[in-house]
Amino acid sequence: MRTGIATVCLSGTLKEKMQACAIAGFDGIEIFEQDLVTSPLSPENVRTMAADLGLGLDLYQPFRDFDGVTPDLLKANLRRAEAKFKLMSRLGMDTILVCTNVATATIDDDGLRASQLSELAELAGDHGVKVAYEALAWGKYVNDYEHAYRLVEMVDHPNLGTCLDSFHILSRDWDTAPIEKIDAEKIFFVQVADAPKLSMDVLSWSRHYRVFPGEGQFELAKFMGHVVRAGYTGPVSLEVFNDVFRQSDVDRTAVDAMRSLIWLEEQSANWLAAGPEGAASSGAASRRRYPMELATLPKVSEPAGFNFAEVKADDTVQLEKLLGQLGFAFEGRHRTKDVQLWTMGQARVIINEQAASHAEPAIAALGFDVASPVIASARAQQLKAPVVARRVQADEEVFQGIAAPDSTEIFLCQGSPDGTAAWTHEFGEGLERTGQAQNAVIDHVNLAQPWQHFDEAVLFYTSALALEPQPFAEVPSPSGLVRSQVMQTSDAAVRLVLNLAPAQQAAVQGTQTVRKTYQEHIAFAVDDLVATARAAQDRGLEFLQIPANYYEDLDARFDLEPGFLATLKELNLLYDRDADGEFLHFYTATVGSVFFEMVERRGNYDGYGAPNAPVRHAVQYDSLHRT
Ligand code: MG
Ligand code: MG
């Protein structure tokens, strides 16, 4: 698959954009007119630079408001077009995007449109240019790709074809199956963009909220499957207008973009192989070859569970105290490293003091149990995840590690059927183990994402670890709305919550020194939360204090048995109930930027106590701002 990206997706100057695209590994780019007009580079310079960088200049765009106009306007439009065709020849480019008319069309007549497009095609032919005609979702008279293609067929000129843009097609819910009926020779270009399903006008949705494939909710593998089955072999190019990407680091966004195409290519191959709509269903037919070659990746399977969570800290006293009060057992120090292991049942927490000078306690790494760490690591690296190297001694387990977009280190560990981990034997030599009173597992981990890396993080966990994004929620907090995106495995053995914190929460507090004020947590599931809380209370645990108003509201909503309500209140426990079951949980105070949560899931309760999250945010805000 030939990969491409429109320069409009990225921040920076044309030169910076081109360099970033080459480094990320794109085959070609679309030159967005604005980027050229504002560039000090001459068209000849751009042409040379692209050649030196190994980038094809695959599409010049956009050319707007051409067809369905009065004769006077047509004349002006043809003159405008000819100037662009001449410019393209200096750039060494041969394909231009012409979108359906939005602003100046006054005549709704396919016959007239066809004759005007025919004149354009004829002129383009004189300059060796191909016109890719694209239906905008908000085009005045032509807003549907099948309509645009009918016009291309009517004109029947070798220099006029169509451009298929997934956003314009999927935002309108047009059926994608008829793409297969389009003559492949007439598909001059394909653009892909994903988007969250939003209910707003389609122009604003398109201009601000497009995201890279895998970061939104469109069925792009299916769209691409139809394109491949049509016989198309040209560029598959990202055209993503996004307010965040246009102001974040250009090199990093280009890599995120490339990852999305590598992933989409694999997903499209899978869609084609799977049937029933993909290929002629099964057997030999599903392995049918298409003119476009689709690369695949090392196989991925969902992680079976969390292997460990790691907190890094310079001063570990507070963390040790908290874990001990919660009922974790100290399993000793690593035999060669400044690292401690604490466990409760299958829940393992590492406290890492290495390279942590002056570091406030913070979540630094997560281990996941996977079927094959080597395969999972190969996949992640092909998806351009940075490798994390950790120093190990000869007889120690080597972890395959990659860095997530928020720089949390992700370790791919060999899972074992009984949930144990071989590497724990590297800890606590000579230490007498006390045996576990309590069973527990890591239930979920909640990570704060910097605003500029949120979408990237969703794609990272989707593509590298096969976690499935759930519909996102917004949680009110005193400093703004917190966007919360759950990523989980189909059996919910791994639940990762990505929170997009309000910008303010990461900012400087008055004249104080900068500190990470957004808090992250690790939650552990136990069988009996009330008993766990009582034992923790006896050990002197400082619970997050829940306001009395909360319990009044709880009683009003759920009509709880008075004794049970009193217990909840006494122990600062939170409660939720839905059709599937019940949820009990409590939070510890925060150390550094990390706190812990203990939960008990009753029945098939699958949530996270969402109605309680605003209470937690408010109380934490209060304690942070108390002097
Ligand atoms: Mg487009
Ligand atoms: Mg939680």
Side-chain angles (χ1 to χ4, degrees), residues 334-594:
H334 191 268
R335 59 185 177 225
T336 62
K337 295 178 220 168
D338 240 351
V339 171
Q340 312 175 25
L341 173 63
W342 291 74
T343 67
M344 186 191 279
Q346 308 287 330
R348 289 176 282 269
V349 175
I350 288 172
I351 301 180
N352 186 354
E353 298 163 59
Q354 304 180 106
S357 106
H358 304 300
E360 289 276 314
I363 297 173
L366 297 173
F368 292 97
D369 284 332
V370 296
S372 163
V374 171
I375 294 173
S377 171
R379 177 183 176 88
Q381 288 178 54
Q382 289 187 30
L383 284 159
K384 299 187 171 283
V387 173
V388 168
R390 286 216 170 167
R391 223 153 25 102
V392 285
Q393 308 283 330
D395 56 344
E396 291 166 11
E397 182 149 336
V398 178
F399 284 150
Q400 306 279 340
I402 48 174
D406 69 347
S407 76
T408 301
E409 296 180 347
I410 302 298
F411 289 98
L412 305 159
C413 311
Q414 184 67 62
S416 68
D418 60 355
T420 57
W423 57 265
T424 57
H425 297 297
E426 294 167 19
F427 287 79
E429 268 170 346
L431 189 84
E432 204 172 315
R433 298 186 191 229
T434 46
Q436 299 289 326
Q438 166 95 276
N439 190 32
V441 293
I442 295 179
D443 182 86
H444 63 275
V445 175
N446 187 309
L447 297 175
Q449 302 297 305
W451 60 272
Q452 65 274 53
H453 302 147
F454 188 82
D455 296 305
E456 182 187 350
V458 171
L459 174 62
F460 172 84
Y461 289 109
T462 301
S463 61
L465 278 173
L467 300 185
E468 190 75 38
Q470 310 298 307
F472 71 85
E474 281 169 344
V475 180
S477 88
S479 48
L481 279 181
V482 177
R483 179 171 166 188
S484 181
Q485 169 81 67
V486 175
M487 309 285 305
Q488 67 176 41
T489 54
S490 53
D491 63 358
V494 168
R495 303 162 181 266
L496 192 62
V497 185
L498 305 178
N499 275 5
L500 176 67
Q504 219 180 316
Q505 293 202 7
V508 183
Q509 301 285 322
T511 54
Q512 296 172 28
T513 47
V514 181
R515 56 177 171 163
K516 189 173 176 184
T517 58
Y518 190 77
Q519 302 169 16
E520 305 185 310
H521 71 271
I522 304 166
F524 308 100
V526 294
D527 299 330
D528 183 344
L529 190 82
V530 172
T532 302
R534 279 210 193 286
Q537 190 183 41
D538 292 345
R539 296 186 202 101
L541 179 80
E542 193 190 328
F543 290 76
L544 192 73
Q545 299 291 305
I546 306 304
N549 293 344
Y550 168 78
Y551 294 99
E552 275 191 44
D553 177 60
L554 209 55
D555 192 32
R557 286 192 288 140
F558 293 121
D559 190 19
L560 297 172
E561 191 268 311
F564 181 59
L565 183 67
T567 302
L568 295 178
K569 191 170 174 177
E570 177 209 340
L571 293 168
N572 285 287
L573 306 186
L574 297 112
Y575 176 84
D576 189 30
R577 185 168 77 203
D578 63 18
D580 300 323
E582 294 171 292
F583 189 62
L584 280 74
H585 56 146
F586 70 82
Y587 301 103
T588 69
T590 302
V591 292
S593 65
V594 63

Side-chain angles (χ1 to χ4, degrees), residues 158-187:
N159 292 78
L160 184 72
T162 190
C163 169
L164 299 173
D165 178 322
S166 67
F167 183 88
H168 294 300
I169 295 170
L170 298 172
S171 64
R172 297 292 303 261
D173 267 329
W174 302 129
D175 182 9
T176 48
I179 289 173
E180 290 185 27
K181 289 189 259 161
I182 300 179
D183 176 3
E185 299 276 296
K186 288 290 177 194
I187 306 175

Side-chain angles (χ1 to χ4, degrees), residues 68-94:
V69 296
T70 57
D72 280 359
L73 211 43
L74 177 68
K75 216 172 129 201
N77 286 347
L78 285 167
R79 196 192 72 84
R80 184 160 60 95
E82 187 160 33
K84 297 302 169 191
F85 296 161
K86 286 177 178 162
L87 169 67
M88 287 170 66
S89 135
R90 294 172 64 197
L91 286 160
M93 298 181 73
D94 67 1

